[in-house]
Amino acid sequence: MPDAAVILETLEQVAERRGDPTPDVYLQLFQSYPELERLFLMDRDGGVRASMMQQALECIVDYVGDRLVAPQIIASSRLHHDGYNVPPDRFDCFFVALRDSFRAIMGADWSPTMEREWAGLLAEFAAIR
Ligand code: HEM
């Protein structure tokens, strides 16, 4: 069970330092997995990218809180994305890119506790099928 306070503190700190981190996350995603960039060619106004970011953040906040919807959303989106040419095991790369870009934004203030709690959260997400 990831420590909600640590995860939420990261989100607050990232927002304070960076404002909207959406561009950072996609830069990170496409640097790590260049082949994924072409999937967004039709997303000219960035609407799909913004919706994905929003849903990912909503899942994170819900999961460390009341956990009312995140497991269902992750399980169904994982399957649904197969139809977008994103195989089920690739789906988690977005959460990895999100964590990696948050780590970069936090710089020296990224703590071992943050590293541990985010790793735990991502491992639990990856196990949701
Ligand atoms: C590397 C992982 C992922 C890739 C490459 C990816 C790719 C895509 C693509 C290409 C679309 C547009 C499909 C279309 O309209 O034809 C899409 C839609 C969407 N994705 Fe992802 N996705 C990933 C992970 C995620 C994650 C983790 C979430 C949230 C938990 C998410 C949430 C969404 C949502 C909500 C939409 C619909 C957006 C809209 O139409 O407004 N995706 N995804």
Side-chain angles (χ1 to χ4, degrees):
M1 175 77 186
D3 186 332
V6 175
I7 301 296
L8 297 177
E9 169 73 11
T10 312
L11 299 183
E12 275 170 30
Q13 287 286 326
V14 165
E16 213 166 273
R17 287 158 195 244
R18 185 71 181 101
D20 178 6
T22 303
D24 305 69
V25 173
Y26 284 95
L27 211 63
Q28 179 71 48
L29 182 69
F30 300 146
Q31 256 167 21
S32 304
Y33 308 96
E35 73 281 8
L36 295 181
E37 193 162 7
R38 66 177 175 77
L39 296 177
F40 295 91
L41 282 176
M42 299 298 282
D43 183 30
R44 293 208 178 84
D45 65 356
V48 168
R49 276 167 286 189
S51 297
M52 279 181 45
M53 182 69 185
Q54 194 182 335
Q55 191 175 76
L57 289 172
E58 280 168 12
C59 283
I60 292 168
V61 171
D62 177 76
Y63 191 83
V64 301
D66 297 337
R67 207 174 287 185
L68 297 175
V69 292
Q72 291 84 347
I73 290 177
I74 291 170
S76 65
S77 293
R78 185 188 294 287
L79 283 180
H80 202 79
H81 273 67
D82 209 21
Y84 301 155
N85 282 320
V86 182
D89 288 329
R90 255 299 132 90
F91 182 73
D92 299 285
C93 297
F94 188 75
F95 289 114
V96 173
L98 187 142
R99 186 271 316 273
D100 289 352
S101 63
F102 287 2
R103 187 200 279 124
I105 290 166
M106 293 298 291
D109 295 327
W110 180 262
S111 67
T113 314
M114 286 174 174
E115 183 63 37
R116 188 187 64 223
E117 297 307 320
W118 278 91
L121 178 69
L122 266 48
E124 290 188 23
F125 279 6
I128 296 173
R129 299 286 155 162

